[in-house]
Every structure is written in C-alpha cells, then in structure tokens.
Amino acid sequence: MKWIQIFTSLCLFLLLTQTTNAQQSGTVSLGKVKVVFTLDQNGAPVYEVYYNNKPIILPSRLGFRLSVDSLFYTSFQLTGTEKNSNDQTWQTVWGETKDVRNHYEEMVVSLRSKQPPGYQLRIIFRVFEDGVGFRYEFPLQPNLKYFIVTDELTQFNLAGNYKTWWIPGDFDSNEYPYTTSPVSEIDNRKMVGASTEIAVRDAPDPFAVQTPLMMKTGEGLYINIHEAALVNYSAMQLHVDRKNYSLNASLVPDAYGNKAYLHAPFKTPWRTIMVSDKAADILSSKIILNLNEPSVIKNTAWIKPMKFTGVWWEMQIGKSTWSYSDFPDSLGSDGKPVPNGKHGATTANVKRYIDFAAANNIQGVLVEGWNTGWEDWFGKWKENVFDFTKPYPDFDIVELTRYAASKKVNLIMHNETSGSATDYERQMDTAFRFMNLFGYTSVKTGYVGKIIPRGEHHDGQWMVDHYLRVVQKAAEHQVMLDSHEPVRPTGLQRTYPNWMASEAARGNEFNAFSIGSPPEHETILPFTRLIGGPMDYTPGIFKMKGYNVSSPTRQMHTTLCKQMALYITLYSPVQMVADLPENYETHKDAFQFIRDVTTDWEDTRILGAEPGDYIYIARKEKGSANWFVGAITDEEKRTADLSLSFLDKGKKYLATIYRDGPDADWNDKPESYKIEKFIVDNDTKLRIELAKGGGAAVSIFPATEANIKEYKKYKTIF
Ligand code: NOJ
Ligand code: CA
C-alpha cells in the first residue's frame, strides 16, 4: 500500500514537473527556420534559432536593466503563450517589388516577474521563411508606468567564429569603410583613429559594431542581424565578446548615459535575424519591411520616385562653394556680405542644371548652398547657423521657381542643419511652408557635426524621434524626404513612404573629398546598410580622375560602367545623376543608359551575389515591359553569367550592353568601355567580362521590327 502511494505521488510529481517544464518553453517554426523559447532555472528568458535543424544562434539571453528594476532579465514565470499565423500580400507605394508577401508564424510569450510587484513583459517572435524577428512589449500594468532603459540585454550567441563585414559602433556616424574579419578579430580602434575624414566620431567601445551586421558561417550560411521599426528608442549596436562569439545589444546613450525613456504600454523595435544558404535571399528578404507598420499616409499620389541632378558635386570637388562669402563676420564697404566669386548656387548656374535635367529625362534638381549660413556651417557646435527661408543675394528663388516649372523640373530643397536639431525644430514649420510656397516637393536634410541638444548623439532616442518628427512634418506638407547623416534606416519607409532615402553610410562623395572607398565597398553595402532601406549613394560619376581641384591625383575606385551599374545594384527610389553636366557631354553614348534608367520598379531578381565580391541584379520597370540589369565586381575581374530567363517567353527584346572595355581597370583605365546591341529572348544567357573594380549595365527593351532587322541575335555560349 505504502509503495503504491509513493509510486503514485512520484508519477504525479513527474507529471507536474513535466507540465511546468512544458509550460516554461515554446517553439515556433516556418520552413527551415525555428525559434525555441525557454525560461531557464532562474526564470531568465532565453531563445535559440535553428536553420535546417542546426543551431545558428545558441541559447541567448533576453531582458533589460531598468531604472525601476536592475534585474529585469530574471525571475520570470510564463503566464501564457499565444500563436498566430499570417500569409498576406500587400502593395508598396514604391520599392524593389510591387507586391510584398508577409508570411510568418508568430508566438507571443507573456511573462510575469515572481518578485513583487510582479512586473509584466511580453516577447513577440515572428518566424519567416528567411529569418526571425522579435520584440519586447511592456504591457499596460499597474506598477510599471514611466521608466528608463538603463541597458537592453538581448544577446545573439553565435554558433561559431563567423566571418563578418562590419563598421565601428559609432554613436554619430555610419560613414566608415567596411572591414571583413572573423568575429574573434573585431576591434574598431584602428579604423576609428584613422578615419579623420568623418566629421564626428564617437566610438568609445573598441568592440562595438553597427548593424546591419552581415555574417557568413563556415558551412556557407548567410546571417544578417539588424532591427526594424526603430521608433522612440535608441539604435542598437552590437558589443562583441570575441572569445565566446557573443553579440550583445548595446544601445546608444543620451547625455546622461541612459538608453531610452519609456512610458508603458510600449513596444521596442524588432530585433531581426535573417538566415539563408543563399546570399541572394538576404538581398531579397522582406522581413524588415514586413515588421514595419503599413503606410500612415492615405493619399500617396504625390510621392514619386525620380532621378535628380544638382549643384552639388562641384562643391564636393572644390570647384565652387556652398558659401557666398569667405568672411563670416565682415561686411564690405557697402554694408553687404563680400561675395567670394565662387558661389555655386547662383541663378545662372542653377538654370544650367535645370536645362540639363529637362533635356535628359531627369526630374529633379537639388541646389545646395542656396540659403544663408554656410560661412560657418559646422565644427563650431553653434546653435543658430542657417536660415531656411533666406536665400543668398545671387539666388533668385522667384525666378528659379518659374523657370523650373516652365521646364517641368522640380527643384529640391536643401536644409543642412549642421547637427543643430533644436534650431531646425524651431524653424521647421516655416521651412516646410516656404517649400510649399515655392513648389518644392522634396527636401534633402543634413546633420553634419555634433548634435544640439548638446550631449545627444545622431543615433540616440532623442534624434531618432527628431528624424521622425521631420518625416511627419514633411508628410503634412506633401514633401518627400532624403536625410543625410541620420540614424541608419530600419524599414520605416513602409510607414512613411515619403521617406525616400537616407545616406547613413559612406557615400560616393567620399571619393571627392577623402581617400575614398575601396572597389569592394558597393558589393558590401546592399548586404549591410541597405538592408534597412534605400540609400542616397549619388552614383553616376563619369570623370574618373583629376576631378578634385585641390587634389589632382584623386580618383574614383570603380570603372565608369560600374558607376552606371550602381543605378540597379544600389536600390533607391531617388537616384542622383551626380556628375557635372559637362562630364556627361564627353561620354554621351554611355550617358544614354542613365537617361533611360528608371527608379520605379515592379519586380526585382537577384541574379547572383556574394558579399564583398559581386552583385548582379535585374529589375523590371513599373507598368512597362522594360528591364534593366546591373552587375558589379570588387577589385577582382570576373565573368558575369546572366540568364535572361525572367523575360517574357516568345518575345524579342533589344539589349544594349554597356560594359568595361577589354583594357578597363578601375585604377589605370576607368573610362574604357564598349557598347553593344543584340536581340535577346528568355533563352539568352549573357556572358560579360567585368574589369577589376568594374561593372556592366544593360537595358532590355521590347524589340521593334526595325531593331530585329538591324541587330544580330545574341549568341549564348554556355
Ligand atoms: C554631407 C552630405 O552627405 C552631402 O551630400 C552634403 O553636400 C553636405 N553634407 C553639405 O550639406
Ligand atoms: Ca554624408
């Protein structure tokens, strides 16, 4: 009898502990991707990620240190698990594809602290076919209202010493060139120290890197870690524990060292982990977009992708100046500022760019240096520098508005703040009304210099909210936004489709005023910075050497054809035609590609990709049968084999191939190219040789009868 009693209580005990264990964990999967959530013996939330049943993220901690509870990562119990599925397709206002499928399995775990007062936390996991997103939610609750995030403790424990493509975790800049190294060798000190061309550098942690962080495992899996929907929170960097291959969320602090000031209910940004055995899948992943909220702008008819040119490169290369005068403090004997004679934004010069745009299928003209303030624009941490409604005396805004409209070209406003966000916030309302008054439909903002409020950083919570206030204000005034030097994007262009692009990376301009970027740079950007959203890279430089007035030896680190391929391989709905009009004159035949290429796409196919090596992409123009292909390589020459199987079966097309000349090379012969035309169809496979630092651009249009008579059919040889 006694034994029976013992046996039954043992069974009961086992049953109970099993149910408790079962209750303390959960699994959610889709296709090859699986997430396992558990509370460990201390009640600490832990997650793991598997791809094809192999661990890619080992058990990793979740939680926080909060002002109200420094142990907000332990002593939890699970109070509920909820599962949901979604498989819907939505339409973009603009994007790499017209349709986006949002297919995921969701698991929401609800936790309650076992310590009084029993704080609550929820963690939402979404598993997609190509990765995972998870976010924390502080639900409405009686005892947690206003609080400060002292630290977010999210970990990503890697299953090996993965290869990484990284830039330093700087609180104020993403403008570094990439370093390729195993996790165990990440150390940003040398790079930060050497990067004197970056206006503001603040990277106190030698072992911190920015996201999107691109990685490759020894088995050939591609993994990318980033975040989605960064709203009212600071940007996540990753602190690297080089011995344990562990990445730890490290939020950008404010002047007091705090990371975020919150008021429950609140949902943090999503932490994202993309994974695939194909590099191309990382480029076509829609996880970041899908984890953002749908557009809050109801009427989007005024939002239009475009090409633009501008009074810009000429200042970058020292040919003209942003400022009107060389003397910030002195006036001439007539009581007026003394002109320096080199000011770029003059009425006559702007008209020259308007004419150039009108003649070449370019919809916008950016004018920088049009407004007062440039005499002492950055580096002084000065609060009131620019006036966003006051043109320089030689910029006739009334006449230029009339002239641009008569040529059906849009002028693009420029609001450089030199980091003084407080001053911009005071002037913003007037600045946007001024844009409406003069018919400007786009603005480029800029944040070069240390931030004011002093002590804040470009990537901290205060500035993250500032960029959002600007995009919201712009939306109210039906103005499209291109922000330079903001925090790197996290897919918010879905919610605010007037946020066309950001810079937030090392753009082409670095080739104008610094040693520039190595030839591999553009093969890494799509796997890193562009994962969050479009970049205003400013491609299309045609004069490859000797363009810089004060540094005649300066040169681009690509061939001319690669500059053209970038219109396809570096996605943005706004693409600059960046070089001087006169430099396109000398290569009119090649310039035809830039005249033809669109910025509004229906579909995208990644034809081949490897981070740091090469990228081949084909895109179909929206509402048209035209396709465009771009292929780029790093410093190695390469044979690009491009199947055109995406073309409509049974139809004939005329392909114009702009490719590196046989002697082309980014270093010695960057301007050597060859243009060929062939009839192609969906059986065609192009074989194109890319030079060192080179590329190729191809336009593919439905062939006319005349084309078919005039041009030979392309001979596929493999
Ligand atoms: C830096 C921006 O990236 C560049 O495009 C702009 O011309 C200058 N700031 C001046 O605003
Ligand atoms: Ca910049």
Side-chain angles (χ1 to χ4, degrees):
M1 186 59 181
K2 206 176 161 203
W3 281 109
I4 291 183
Q5 264 178 353
I6 293 175
F7 180 74
T8 31
S9 37
L10 192 71
C11 283
L12 202 69
F13 172 76
L14 279 177
L15 197 76
L16 269 178
T17 46
Q18 264 187 2
T19 8
T20 354
N21 274 342
Q23 275 175 356
Q24 300 304 301
S25 66
T27 299
V28 56
S29 62
L30 180 59
K32 295 178 183 164
V33 185
K34 183 171 81 186
V35 168
V36 178
F37 171 83
T38 30
L39 279 179
D40 72 8
Q41 66 278 18
N42 301 317
V46 170
Y47 77 102
E48 297 158 71
V49 181
Y50 293 82
Y51 183 78
N52 240 346
N53 291 319
K54 288 214 176 108
I56 55 150
I57 302 287
L58 301 176
S60 298
R61 177 178 67 188
L62 297 161
F64 296 89
R65 281 197 194 94
L66 302 181
S67 53
V68 293
D69 180 358
S70 61
L71 301 172
F72 205 78
Y73 56 93
T74 184
S75 299
F76 283 106
Q77 58 190 342
L78 196 68
T79 57
T81 303
E82 199 185 297
K83 292 213 170 167
N84 303 301
S85 306
N86 187 76
D87 191 359
Q88 279 173 326
T89 297
W90 56 278
Q91 270 83 46
T92 55
V93 175
W94 47 259
E96 293 178 83
T97 57
K98 192 165 125 251
D99 297 316
V100 174
R101 182 176 176 201
N102 186 9
H103 183 203
Y104 64 79
E105 293 294 328
E106 183 179 77
M107 174 172 73
V108 182
V109 296
S110 296
L111 309 175
R112 182 188 290 273
S113 172
K114 288 187 264 184
Q115 308 295 339
Y119 292 133
Q120 298 163 41
L121 176 70
R122 279 151 59 91
I123 308 171
I124 303 154
F125 295 95
R126 281 192 191 164
V127 177
F128 301 83
E129 268 164 305
D130 51 359
V132 177
F134 64 88
R135 81 182 332 173
Y136 301 92
E137 184 185 343
F138 299 93
L140 189 67
Q141 49 192 294
N143 296 306
L144 187 66
K145 287 203 177 328
Y146 305 97
F147 58 101
I148 298 169
V149 175
T150 329
D151 274 310
E152 182 182 320
L153 300 177
T154 306
Q155 279 185 329
F156 306 87
N157 288 331
L158 308 176
N161 190 9
Y162 302 164
K163 182 176 177 182
T164 59
W165 287 265
W166 58 269
I167 55 173
D170 191 309
F171 300 157
D172 287 286
S173 181
N174 289 272
E175 295 186 319
Y176 293 90
Y178 289 88
T179 304
T180 310
S181 84
V183 177
S184 61
E185 284 168 28
I186 291 175
D187 180 342
N188 66 37
R189 277 172 288 198
K190 243 194 183 156
M191 180 57 82
V192 175
S195 300
T196 48
E197 71 277 14
I198 297 174
V200 184
R201 285 165 294 157
D202 196 344
D205 178 358
F207 308 113
V209 296
Q210 299 278 21
T211 72
L213 178 67
M214 186 64 211
M215 298 180 277
K216 188 175 181 182
T217 73
E219 289 79 44
L221 290 186
Y222 298 85
I223 300 176
N224 184 289
I225 296 183
H226 188 38
E227 63 178 315
L230 172 58
V231 177
N232 197 10
Y233 204 75
S234 55
M236 178 182 72
Q237 305 190 338
L238 298 169
H239 168 81
V240 182
D241 168 351
R242 305 192 300 170
K243 278 209 195 85
N244 298 306
Y245 316 142
S246 169
L247 310 175
N248 296 262
S250 169
L251 302 178
V252 173
D254 76 346
Y256 292 87
N258 291 325
K259 309 298 165 48
Y261 298 79
L262 304 183
H263 180 181
F266 182 81
K267 290 179 183 154
T268 69
W270 295 88
R271 278 63 189 95
T272 60
I273 305 161
M274 295 172 180
V275 53
S276 178
D277 50 11
K278 287 181 212 71
D281 290 349
I282 302 292
L283 298 185
S284 52
S285 175
K286 298 287 184 277
I287 287 184
I288 300 274
L289 279 179
N290 279 327
L291 290 173
N292 274 273
E293 296 299 320
S295 173
V296 292
I297 303 173
K298 292 285 164 280
N299 164 20
T300 55
W302 51 276
I303 301 173
K304 294 194 178 91
M306 66 168 164
K307 287 179 283 190
F308 67 102
T309 180
V311 183
W312 180 75
W313 187 248
E314 57 176 82
M315 280 91 92
Q316 297 286 347
I317 60 176
K319 195 176 158 238
S320 66
T321 61
W322 281 275
S323 65
Y324 173 78
S325 175
D326 286 340
F327 311 103
D329 300 317
S330 45
L331 302 175
S333 52
D334 56 358
K336 292 182 180 158
V338 187
N340 65 10
K342 289 188 303 181
H343 183 218
T346 66
T347 307
N349 199 30
V350 174
K351 283 191 175 174
R352 193 167 70 91
Y353 281 87
I354 294 175
D355 292 342
F356 169 70
N360 291 296
N361 188 29
I362 297 168
Q363 296 76 35
V365 173
L366 166 74
V367 186
E368 295 199 1
W370 69 276
N371 63 325
T372 61
W374 289 91
E375 282 68 25
D376 55 1
W377 76 283
F378 92 99
K380 287 127 196 131
W381 222 359
K382 184 178 158 182
E383 181 148 3
N384 298 323
V385 177
F386 291 102
D387 187 325
F388 300 106
T389 59
K390 194 166 175 210
Y392 277 128
D394 54 352
F395 180 84
D396 185 343
I397 192 165
V398 175
E399 168 58 10
L400 285 169
T401 302
R402 184 201 65 78
Y403 192 75
S406 77
K407 300 267 172 158
K408 297 201 168 41
V409 167
N410 295 298
L411 287 177
I412 299 174
M413 174 51 68
H414 186 229
N415 286 175
E416 172 61 60
T417 69
S418 59
S420 181
T422 42
D423 185 35
Y424 195 45
E425 298 232 357
R426 286 190 291 270
Q427 292 195 49
M428 214 156 71
D429 204 58
T430 330
F432 278 96
R433 282 192 282 123
F434 184 82
M435 289 176 227
N436 284 165
L437 188 65
F438 289 99
Y440 285 79
T441 53
S442 306
V443 62
K444 169 177 169 181
T445 54
Y447 297 89
V448 176
K450 287 203 204 178
I451 294 298
I452 304 179
R454 297 189 182 88
E456 291 296 336
H457 294 289
H458 284 76
D459 293 3
Q461 184 190 21
W462 196 92
M463 282 304 288
V464 162
D465 286 352
H466 167 80
Y467 308 125
L468 276 170
R469 285 192 286 275
V470 174
V471 79
Q472 285 159 354
K473 176 67 62 185
E476 271 170 42
H477 289 267
Q478 303 206 334
V479 170
M480 295 174 265
L481 175 67
D482 168 12
S483 12
H484 277 230
E485 297 87 36
V487 67
R488 77 281 183 276
T490 58
L492 285 163
Q493 66 274 16
R494 177 176 179 197
T495 314
Y496 302 100
N498 65 322
W499 201 344
M500 311 303 281
S502 307
E503 188 191 38
R506 193 178 179 88
N508 224 4
E509 66 189 36
F510 275 79
N511 293 304
F513 60 73
S514 79
I515 53 163
S517 309
E520 67 169 9
H521 188 58
E522 297 93 347
T523 68
I524 301 172
L525 279 172
F527 286 100
T528 51
R529 159 63 185 76
L530 273 83
I531 292 294
M535 176 175 179
D536 181 17
Y537 187 74
T538 72
I541 301 305
F542 267 28
K543 186 170 165 84
M544 313 303 285
K545 287 184 180 206
Y547 44 79
N548 186 295
V549 177
S550 51
S551 282
T553 54
R554 197 147 286 167
Q555 68 171 96
M556 302 299 290
H557 300 93
T558 72
T559 64
L560 185 145
C561 281
K562 184 169 173 180
Q563 287 291 318
M564 296 200 286
L566 297 178
Y567 286 86
I568 309 301
T569 60
L570 283 176
Y571 170 68
S572 177
V574 288
Q575 290 281 28
M576 191 165 198
V577 181
D579 210 338
L580 313 178
E582 54 270 36
N583 294 341
Y584 293 120
E585 280 298 314
T586 46
H587 297 300
K588 267 193 150 159
D589 52 355
F591 186 54
Q592 187 59 40
F593 178 81
I594 297 181
R595 300 184 65 192
D596 289 337
V597 74
T598 185
T599 50
D600 201 6
W601 306 107
E602 177 142 342
D603 204 0
T604 286
R605 306 292 165 87
I606 313 296
L607 305 181
E610 180 65 21
D613 291 345
Y614 61 91
I615 294 184
Y616 312 149
I617 298 182
R619 301 193 201 270
K620 182 174 195 271
E621 183 169 3
K622 207 181 238 180
S624 140
N626 296 344
W627 285 81
F628 295 86
V629 179
I632 63 167
T633 178
D634 59 356
E635 69 288 346
E636 305 281 345
K637 59 178 179 180
R638 213 173 288 278
T639 304
D641 285 341
L642 310 167
S643 159
L644 305 187
S645 59
F646 49 81
L647 295 176
D648 282 354
K649 215 178 166 51
K651 285 199 186 141
K652 289 194 164 58
Y653 297 79
L654 177 66
T656 307
I657 304 171
Y658 304 81
R659 61 187 188 87
D660 294 326
D663 58 346
D665 174 325
W666 71 268
N667 194 15
D668 306 327
K669 280 258 178 165
E671 288 175 27
S672 161
Y673 61 86
K674 210 173 156 186
I675 303 175
E676 296 166 325
K677 288 178 194 261
F678 294 101
I679 301 299
V680 298
D681 60 28
N682 85 328
D683 285 329
T684 305
K685 289 181 192 147
L686 300 179
R687 171 159 286 181
I688 305 179
E689 302 301 332
L690 310 178
K692 293 178 178 175
V698 187
S699 63
I700 305 174
F701 302 155
T704 61
E705 284 306 315
N707 294 151
I708 294 168
K709 274 191 203 129
E710 187 175 353
Y711 298 105
K712 282 204 194 104
K713 188 166 184 317
Y714 185 88
K715 256 211 196 107
T716 298
I717 52 167
F718 64 99

